[in-house]
Amino acid sequence: MSVFLEQHYGNPSSLYPIGRDAKESITEARETIAEAMGAERSEIIFTGSGTESDNFAIKGIMEAHPEKNELITSAIEHPAVIETALYMRKLGKKVTFIPVDECGIVDLDVLEKKVTQKTALVSIMHANNEIGTLQPIKEIVHIAKKKNVLVHSDAVQTFGKIDFDVHKLGVDLVSVSAHKIYGPKGVGALYIKKGTEIHPFVHGGHQEGRLRAGTENTAGIVGFGEAARIAAQLLKKDKKRLDYLAEQFKKGIESRISDIKFNGSEKERIKTTVNFSFLRLEAEAVLLALVTKGIFVSTGSACSEDSDDVSHVLTAINLTPEQARSCIRFSIGRFNTEDDIKTVLEELPKIIENLRSISAGSI
Ligand SMILES: *Cc1c(COP(=O)(O)O)cnc(C)c1O
């Protein structure tokens, strides 16, 4: 990336050689990202984030199909989708949030009833960012296609992490983000299936097929391409290792700590996201105690930590307020080792026991 901030500083739209170098490298990154999801290069549009990709997909499709005024999404989407959907409602569109079961899987019967000829788009995420639940995207696509409805999936949590192919899933639009696969922050992409009618997201010059104008973030895009290349290369080997670590971790927690609740789906999940409620405790107290041991976890989702609100995901899977307030999300990533897991499994039970004895004493 630094090469593109220093030597190859040329504008990719210019004709002089350093601009052409930049353009070629953007094309290469586009090819790598397309290949990693089984798409064609021309179907990938670079954006400024996963959030922007979600905005682009929903707004772009709703605007391009004014004769259809309905949007369907789920109750546990990332705020990038939820807030965009609520904005669509403000603009007068009919917006439906499909409920999920206790594992976080969307209710396909409700979906089947809600999808009509007036639906412009069904937008349902691939894996949830708080509890890791995987949605039955193929079945969702099957239901939508019976009514000729387009399907978008926010795949920010799965791209580069599990085997991923847009044709196998059958989706029309897919959002991905660089920083969730160890790439740079501030760059994302949207897959738009060939022939899909969509309105531009940013109007201006000819960049990104005129759909997202503005001089390209060359260094960011090149970094995203490299991150996708490495992710694809490591996928098989590393996924096995990380799934194993995550499984050891989950079992370890379950055998060492009592009065806990696993949140999410035992079967349909991305294993490296592990979410537990530690009953009778405030998650924040556990988080802070873990920090002192150099262990960094999340409560709810990173986007809602500033507010007192219980996460909409935890509410949607029917947790009681107490269960939701005591909920911690552990993410196991590429740089975690068996020793890391061992450390957490040693420290966490002590922390929980200690905090529980304090809070019991204070009552
Ligand atoms: C992180 C995330 C996003 C937002 O991506 P940014 O690049 O951070 O804007 C959207 N959806 C999901 C599921 C995410 O995990």
Side-chain angles (χ1 to χ4, degrees):
M1 286 176 68
S2 67
V3 170
F4 287 89
L5 295 169
E6 292 164 4
Q7 286 105 300
H8 297 299
Y9 187 70
N11 187 327
S13 297
S14 62
L15 292 175
Y16 39 77
I18 55 166
R20 277 211 311 272
D21 288 345
K23 194 178 180 76
E24 275 167 24
S25 301
I26 288 177
T27 302
E28 211 174 290
R30 203 186 304 280
E31 179 78 44
T32 309
I33 288 160
E35 212 172 284
M37 60 169 86
E40 281 175 32
R41 197 167 74 201
S42 61
E43 297 174 310
I44 303 296
I45 301 294
F46 286 113
T47 66
S49 60
T51 299
E52 187 188 314
S53 300
D54 287 339
N55 272 260
F56 182 5
I58 294 171
K59 294 173 184 171
I61 292 295
M62 299 303 288
E63 284 172 1
H65 302 269
E67 75 287 358
K68 297 182 171 195
N69 69 339
E70 297 177 3
L71 169 67
I72 295 179
T73 183
S74 87
I76 63 164
E77 297 296 312
H78 188 274
V81 168
I82 299 265
E83 293 299 324
T84 307
L86 292 173
Y87 177 64
M88 289 292 114
R89 184 180 275 170
K90 243 191 211 164
L91 295 184
K93 307 285 181 188
K94 183 181 169 206
V95 178
T96 305
F97 294 94
I98 306 291
V100 297
D101 65 14
E102 285 179 358
C103 303
I105 295 174
V106 292
D107 189 325
L108 295 177
D109 294 333
V110 176
L111 179 69
E112 179 110 45
K113 284 191 195 105
K114 297 289 182 182
V115 177
T116 72
Q117 316 280 357
K118 297 287 274 177
T119 311
L121 183 70
V122 171
S123 175
I124 294 186
M125 71 199 319
H126 197 195
N128 181 267
N129 46 303
E130 292 187 43
I131 53 175
T133 301
L134 281 163
Q135 298 300 341
I137 298 292
K138 279 187 211 166
E139 282 90 332
I140 289 164
V141 168
H142 180 72
I143 290 168
K145 291 301 158 190
K146 283 195 264 182
K147 304 265 164 66
N148 244 335
V149 172
L150 295 169
V151 179
H152 164 247
S153 188
D154 174 338
V156 171
Q157 288 290 329
T158 51
F159 177 65
K161 294 184 188 153
I162 61 176
D163 210 4
F164 190 94
D165 186 301
V166 288
H167 295 293
K168 276 190 209 149
L169 290 174
V171 289
D172 303 287
L173 303 111
V174 168
S175 301
V176 296
S177 175
H179 75 104
K180 301 287 172 75
I181 59 164
Y182 307 97
K185 290 168 184 65
V187 56
L190 181 65
Y191 158 79
I192 307 171
K193 190 175 166 181
K194 242 186 318 201
T196 305
E197 260 181 74
I198 188 164
H199 271 198
F201 189 65
V202 181
H203 296 84
H206 53 79
Q207 297 93 348
E208 299 302 306
R210 285 197 168 272
L211 290 174
R212 203 269 190 181
T215 300
E216 298 87 339
N217 171 9
T218 309
I221 289 170
V222 168
F224 190 6
E226 187 61 8
R229 188 187 66 76
I230 295 168
Q233 196 180 36
L234 287 182
L235 188 62
K236 278 210 181 81
K237 199 176 75 195
D238 219 32
K239 181 179 181 324
K240 243 194 191 153
R241 181 183 75 88
L242 291 176
D243 282 357
Y244 175 76
L245 285 187
E247 210 48 30
Q248 291 307 104
F249 175 69
K250 178 169 176 288
K251 281 192 199 138
I253 298 275
E254 283 165 340
S255 65
R256 284 171 176 80
I257 305 174
S258 60
D259 294 336
I260 57 175
K261 181 184 181 306
F262 173 75
N263 298 315
S265 166
E266 292 280 355
K267 265 167 91 202
E268 299 302 324
R269 53 189 277 261
I270 176 149
K271 288 206 171 92
T272 44
T273 300
V274 181
N275 191 315
F276 276 109
S277 294
F278 298 94
L279 306 179
R280 305 197 308 282
L281 288 176
E282 291 291 333
E284 213 141 287
V286 180
L287 179 147
L288 292 174
L290 283 169
V291 167
T292 67
K293 304 290 177 191
I295 300 162
F296 306 133
V297 299
S298 304
T299 62
S301 98
C303 308
S304 54
E305 255 164 31
D306 292 341
S307 66
D308 288 336
D309 299 32
V310 162
S311 130
H312 64 287
V313 176
L314 302 177
T315 308
I317 61 170
N318 234 347
L319 293 200
T320 65
E322 189 215 338
Q323 289 167 338
R325 276 201 310 273
S326 66
C327 148
I328 300 262
R329 174 182 47 154
F330 303 87
S331 306
I332 291 109
R334 185 182 296 165
F335 302 108
N336 284 129
T337 62
E338 205 150 358
D339 270 352
D340 293 338
I341 303 297
K342 233 191 250 162
T343 304
V344 184
L345 288 179
E346 267 166 33
E347 299 295 341
L348 188 61
K350 289 190 264 180
I351 289 170
I352 301 288
E353 191 181 354
N354 193 21
L355 288 172
R356 276 183 180 156
S357 70
I358 294 169
S359 63
S362 69
I363 289 170

